[in-house]
Amino acid sequence: MILMVGGEKGGVGKTTLATHLAVARKEAGRSVVLVDADSQGTASTWSDARKEHADVPQLPCVTLRGGKVHVELKELARHYDDIVVDTGGADSQEFRSAMLAADTLLMPLRPGSFDFWTLLKMQEVIAMAEGFNDKLQAVVCLSQVPPTASDRARREAMDVLAEMPRFRLLNCMTVFRAAFNHSAGEGLTVGEMPRRDPKACSEIAFLHDELFVGAA
Ligand SMILES: Nc1ncnc2c1ncn2[C@@H]1O[C@H](COP(=O)(O)OP(=O)(O)O)[C@@H](O)[C@H]1O
Ligand SMILES: [Mg+2]
């Protein structure tokens, strides 16, 4: 499967989810490549940091830039079971071209960022891509949710998305947890940290299953 993570500009958790999902696919026994298609290059930095750790499985990380990302993604798909693409905002060339090859677009959104007009714009971009790629599914995942506000965040998201059938709201969400931040700089996942945060780990497992197993 080609899964791309993108849509919102900065800081929403795109790279965090992309790196965690790539490792989760590897742990599930799949061959996987992580693609850095964001000009910020954070996935590559994460991957470089990971190479310092001899005790974790390594993943190939490929940097792709420009408007022909979809061509290279299709080629990579001949060699790997799964591709996880970290892209930037919806206005980037890489985001738009990755959508031409992706099976799934995962958009992490923070509660309160459910700006109706932004999502409307995003719907238009997705509709355009669907003209070339009819298998594309757009899913939204709440990210960095304040621990005490998860029910309210979910209700608000459901209200806004009810009028936008192109987006499917996932049941899973990630709560704001220090563990995510700590693991990022190490090139690790929350499950690979010496002090595991079991709640963070189960959020990732839930996300993985909902996307790849369809079990949630
Ligand atoms: N659920 C979370 N809880 C706490 N911190 C998080 C969470 N998700 C991401 N972060 C942190 O927020 C920052 C931005 O996340 P990142 O994945 O780099 O976002 P993006 O790729 O969308 O710019 C990073 O420092 C990351 O460690
Ligand atoms: Mg990023």
Side-chain angles (χ1 to χ4, degrees), residues 108-127:
L109 289 178
R110 280 182 291 217
S113 72
F114 274 76
D115 180 325
F116 194 79
W117 298 109
T118 312
L119 286 172
L120 223 50
K121 180 84 198 137
M122 180 66 78
Q123 277 217 125
E124 280 172 29
V125 176
I126 294 169

Side-chain angles (χ1 to χ4, degrees), residues 9 11 13-16 38 40 42-43 86-87:
K9 282 203 172 98
K14 298 182 297 296
T15 305
T16 302
D38 180 5
Q40 306 239 314
T42 320
D86 184 30
T87 64

Side-chain angles (χ1 to χ4, degrees), residues 7 11 24 30 35 50 63 74 81-82 88 91-92 96 100 105 107 121 127 129 133-134 155 158 168 185 207:
R30 308 273 292 178
V35 173
R50 188 173 182 83
T63 297
K74 284 180 183 163
D81 296 329
D82 292 307
D91 48 0
S92 72
R96 289 176 183 237
L100 302 178
L105 160 64
M107 287 177 50
K121 180 84 198 137
N133 174 10
D134 55 14
R155 267 198 315 276
M158 283 174 79
R168 179 164 65 91
L207 173 66

